Amino acid sequence: MTERVFDSLIVHAQVATIAGSAPHCGSSMREIGLLNDAAVGIIDGNIAFVGSSQDAAALEAKECLDARGRLLTPGLVDPHTHLVHSGSRESELAQKLAGIPYLEILQQGGGILSTVHATRRASREELIEQALRSLRTMLLWGTTTVEAKSGYGLDVPTELLQLRVAQELRKLQPVEIISTFLGPHAIPPEYQDRPDAFLEQMIQLLPAIQAEQLADFADIFCEHGVFSVVQSERFLEAAQKAGFGLKIHADEVEPLGGAELAAKLGAVSADHLLAASENGLRSLVSAGVMPVLLPGTSWNLRAKPARARFLIDTLQAPVALATDYNPGSCPTESLQFIMALAANELRMTPEEILTAVTINSAHAIRQAHRVGSIEVGKQADLCLFNADNPAYLVYHFGINHIADVWKKGQHVVVNGLYIDNP
């Protein structure tokens, strides 16, 4: 019998396996399956061995890396971003510092609408170039899978362009992209007096998006001054009938009832939840909806953070974390920064945080069968950190701890440097 030859073998690592097919809930979020002096072997892009370094000594590999006791984790998963857009909104910083609420900035034509204007004017090439810069940053900081929403077109041609750009980006770089159609992200100026007519236009766009397989999910901004619970339900029901998984921007500013709607419709995730009522949180947890918390956004908007401890301790719920990367309310691509905020703002433990940016985030985009944990048979998406324990990642904040990254078994970041053609 011929012995297997591994493409890559990582030895002498502290391996956080975060194993298990179901979301990690409540206290189980602290169970990260840490293996001391462990090894991980890769064959054909998948994990083919997880065990002790002693047992790995008998294995043959084309590439062998000595982790020297450092922490090896699953590749980080970011389940909520607004990746494809044009421009930036630092011009709104003075308004924010003056205490002007976000919804007021939006009503003045800023916020989302400012980015809509820039994105509508941008060429396909400009959108690709800006998104590629962000994706490279994400990868260098450990993100190997990302969800990308549209929503900066608010018209048929630009919404389709955003989704097609996201599809093209998959071929141009290593980070995996899961697409979400967020056409009803705001009400465009030309429809300010006819929001239902705009919503109907976005509903009519669903079959075309499905026919081109441009998105896996559909999302809506359910908030006062944007879309009501009734309008959100109308859109999400149409999306569900068209075959999309459901997501919802829920109760970010006011307890409007977005969490309850997510529970009613069986959404895959409900995101933000800063102002969600206790009943809303209980409902979505009972319905199996993944709460996706975005501490970067609440921190940047100086808002009261989401109730992570209530979800984890009282409701014994799973929690996922995401950047909400966008040009306005949270302009950061770094999940490591979000991890530090989760400790300091949400009072989550390092182990809970690591679970929330790996297996639980993978569940938030229906990818946990492939990514989010270190288990034989799963895709070899891995991060090696310049740290030997999870606490150090959030304790020493503001720097990039990544040493090496593997995506589908390819060594794409080596000693902190991006490799163009691994």
Side-chain angles (χ1 to χ4, degrees):
M1 178 178 174
T2 304
E3 291 291 332
R4 295 183 300 174
V5 177
F6 290 80
D7 297 319
S8 298
L9 192 63
I10 305 155
V11 298
H12 302 305
Q14 303 297 312
V15 178
T17 61
I18 319 183
S21 58
H24 288 216
C25 303
S27 59
S28 73
M29 287 185 64
R30 296 190 285 276
E31 299 169 3
I32 61 172
L34 192 63
L35 305 177
N36 297 316
D37 194 17
V40 174
I42 301 168
I43 295 178
D44 294 333
N46 294 318
I47 297 168
F49 173 85
V50 180
S52 70
S53 293
Q54 184 177 358
D55 290 341
L59 303 177
E60 184 180 349
K62 299 172 186 175
E63 173 193 63
C64 187
L65 186 145
D66 187 344
R68 305 191 307 279
R70 290 174 294 176
L71 181 67
L72 186 71
T73 77
L76 307 184
V77 178
D78 193 342
H80 183 131
T81 82
H82 301 258
L83 173 68
V84 180
H85 63 266
S86 182
S88 183
R89 300 211 300 263
E90 65 273 14
S91 60
E92 295 173 10
L93 180 61
Q95 291 175 288
K96 190 185 78 169
L97 293 175
I100 299 175
Y102 172 74
L103 289 180
E104 186 175 331
I105 294 173
L106 178 64
Q107 290 167 359
Q108 294 173 2
I112 293 168
L113 296 179
S114 173
T115 303
V116 167
H117 180 68
T119 303
R120 285 180 176 180
R121 294 178 59 186
S123 68
R124 170 183 152 278
E125 291 74 21
E126 289 169 335
L127 294 174
I128 289 173
E129 182 180 357
Q130 183 162 335
L132 280 174
R133 288 197 299 270
S134 290
L135 287 164
R136 178 171 291 200
T137 299
M138 290 175 178
L139 190 64
L140 284 167
W141 286 68
T143 298
T144 54
T145 301
V146 64
E147 183 257 19
K149 303 179 189 295
S150 67
Y152 288 128
L154 307 187
D155 62 21
V156 170
T158 317
E159 288 295 316
L160 289 173
L161 177 61
Q162 280 189 274
L163 293 170
R164 287 168 180 154
V165 164
Q167 192 172 57
E168 188 166 350
L169 288 166
R170 295 171 183 166
K171 307 170 187 175
L172 299 176
Q173 51 75 54
V175 178
E176 261 181 282
I177 298 172
I178 307 300
S179 288
T180 295
F181 171 51
L182 179 58
H185 192 194
I187 302 167
E190 61 268 29
Y191 281 92
Q192 282 300 313
D193 299 324
R194 299 178 296 137
D196 286 322
F198 170 69
L199 194 63
E200 183 60 31
Q201 185 183 62
M202 295 297 99
I203 289 172
Q204 294 301 318
L205 188 52
L206 290 165
I209 294 169
Q210 189 66 267
E212 277 193 61
Q213 297 184 322
L214 291 175
D216 299 289
F217 299 99
D219 194 348
I220 189 168
F221 192 2
C222 182
E223 187 56 71
H224 178 75
V226 192
F227 296 100
S228 69
V229 171
V230 171
Q231 290 170 322
S232 298
E233 183 170 4
R234 179 181 161 208
F235 173 78
L236 291 175
E237 282 187 336
Q240 198 167 50
K241 289 177 183 177
F244 293 89
L246 303 185
K247 290 178 166 289
I248 181 171
H249 282 57
D251 305 322
E252 180 181 1
V253 181
E254 296 184 13
L256 201 65
E260 289 89 339
L261 179 60
K264 178 181 179 180
L265 298 180
V268 176
S269 76
D271 302 23
H272 284 294
L273 302 172
L274 307 182
S277 68
E278 183 173 315
N279 179 65
L281 294 177
R282 290 184 183 276
S283 296
L284 68 86
V285 170
S286 296
V289 180
M290 178 65 74
V292 177
L293 307 186
L294 312 169
T297 306
S298 55
W299 173 80
N300 196 41
L301 295 180
R302 300 181 178 181
K304 186 177 179 180
R307 300 172 67 186
R309 292 264 50 102
F310 177 74
L311 285 163
I312 296 169
D313 298 334
T314 303
L315 301 186
Q316 289 294 299
V319 164
L321 293 167
T323 59
D324 191 20
Y325 167 60
N326 70 77
S329 61
C330 198
T332 182
E333 294 95 335
S334 173
L335 262 178
Q336 289 187 57
F337 175 59
I338 299 306
M339 292 165 69
L341 289 178
N344 288 285
E345 298 284 311
L346 304 184
R347 317 309 294 173
M348 291 173 66
T349 71
E351 293 79 13
E352 290 167 345
I353 292 166
L354 192 55
T355 298
V357 295
T358 53
I359 190 64
N360 282 2
S361 284
H363 277 287
I365 52 173
R366 289 181 173 170
Q367 298 299 312
H369 60 291
R370 299 189 309 108
V371 301
S373 63
I374 298 178
E375 302 178 78
V376 171
K378 277 203 169 179
Q379 194 166 282
D381 291 7
L382 305 167
C383 288
L384 181 65
F385 289 96
N386 287 313
D388 61 9
N389 65 83
Y392 191 75
L393 300 181
V394 299
Y395 164 77
H396 190 171
F397 61 89
I399 69 162
N400 186 0
H401 294 284
I402 283 291
D404 294 76
V405 177
W406 290 260
K407 179 62 185 177
K408 296 183 180 178
Q410 295 295 310
H411 206 169
V412 290
V413 176
V414 179
N415 293 325
L417 299 175
Y418 179 81
I419 305 301
D420 280 306
N421 295 296

